[in-house]
Amino acid sequence: KNNLIVYRMNSENSEQKFVVIVCDSVLKVLGKKNLIVPLSRKYFNPYKFLVGNNGSVYLLGVKTDPEKRNRDADKNYYVVFGSSTGTYKWSEHEVKNSEHFMTDAGMVVDELNHHLVISGFYSDKTGYSAAGVFYYYLSPETLAPGEVHFSAFAPAFLYKFLGEQKENYNRELVNYSIDKIILRRDGGAVIIAEANYTSEYSYYDYYLRTFVSRRYYHHDNIIQLSVNMDGTVLWSNVIQKEQTADDDDDTFISYTSAVSGGKIHCLYNRSLKRKTQVLINATDALGNEKNSALLDEDQDALIMPSASKQVRADLLIVPAYKGRDLKLAGIIF
């Protein structure tokens, strides 16, 4: 399995320059080349770099038409650059649709089916909400254009979000961004996304005789969507979660996930205070869920999701505080 190191270099305002380094599993350098993106940051926003097992490198980004008067990012299409280790001959590929806004996307290399998969959310009305999912795949060898497949959220799925802010007559979700795309053997994929947003609260402090403003950071429900290659949704789940912090420190907030034994495991703190449960949700290939408490309140533990890492097929390492002591917890599935 190859590893990728990318960093930005100083360049002209009309372009972006990246140094791309491909390494093997022991960090031996296999190739080092420069990538010149012939667009400034105003017109192209690099989103995600990936490397395949054969050393090919791909970049997913959002491109804005330089001819548009409105300089906001046009999320109606994403652009992919691809290369091989030997030539590093970069080419541009557009993934677009004139009928929908593509509001968020992720990219993964499907080594089993020899595809480059791009999947995410789309909207019918705005550039930030989500009416459903889209799925797109192409051959990394040819980058031949294909069809973007769309599937709207089912009413039964949207019903699970009662009380949440929505758009377009309650038919589109807001605040959800893609965290991970997990490939299926048949070419489909499972999209995992979490609701995250900020809110503000202001009041007048009569004692201090001044206005006080507070900003809160929310990490709420997790959604799982299993999407077929034709864009249809095989199953969908919502993991109910509500976490609110008064600063942007992500030490204990959000969740971590691991794939093991044909199941997706999501772990998170039930609340962000001492004496809370650490919960785990396991979802199998058919979408069947099982929720349980990994640690109860009397364990006095708080996990640190953002610092976790799956180091083996059946092992997830998660830093955690047990009381006042920092520990490394090994979770075996």
Side-chain angles (χ1 to χ4, degrees), residues 308-319:
S308 67
K309 183 177 180 61
Q310 185 172 1
V311 297
R312 207 172 62 199
D314 62 345
L315 179 62
L316 177 71
I317 300 296
V318 185

Side-chain angles (χ1 to χ4, degrees), residues 130-142:
V133 296
F134 74 87
Y135 186 95
Y136 182 85
Y137 67 92
L138 68 158
S139 167
E141 302 297 329
T142 64

Side-chain angles (χ1 to χ4, degrees), residues 14-31:
S14 60
E15 64 181 25
Q16 299 177 65
K17 181 179 179 181
F18 298 91
V19 176
V20 181
I21 304 172
V22 178
C23 306
D24 62 15
S25 58
V26 295
L27 297 184
K28 178 183 177 181
V29 175
L30 302 177

Side-chain angles (χ1 to χ4, degrees), residues 188-209:
V190 177
I191 297 173
I192 303 180
E194 182 187 35
N196 55 80
Y197 60 97
T198 61
S199 63
E200 294 185 356
Y201 173 70
S202 300
Y203 64 93
Y204 184 78
D205 190 317
Y206 288 94
Y207 181 76
L208 297 176
R209 295 186 178 183

Side-chain angles (χ1 to χ4, degrees), residues 1-9 17-35 48-52 55-59 88 90:
K1 184 177 181 180
N2 293 318
N3 298 288
L4 186 66
I5 300 172
V6 179
Y7 58 92
R8 190 194 300 267
M9 300 286 289
K17 181 179 179 181
F18 298 91
V19 176
V20 181
I21 304 172
V22 178
C23 306
D24 62 15
S25 58
V26 295
L27 297 184
K28 178 183 177 181
V29 175
L30 302 177
K32 179 180 178 180
K33 298 289 182 179
N34 293 334
L35 163 63
K48 186 175 185 178
F49 282 91
L50 283 179
V51 61
S56 295
V57 179
Y58 308 97
L59 166 62
Y88 272 76
W90 294 86

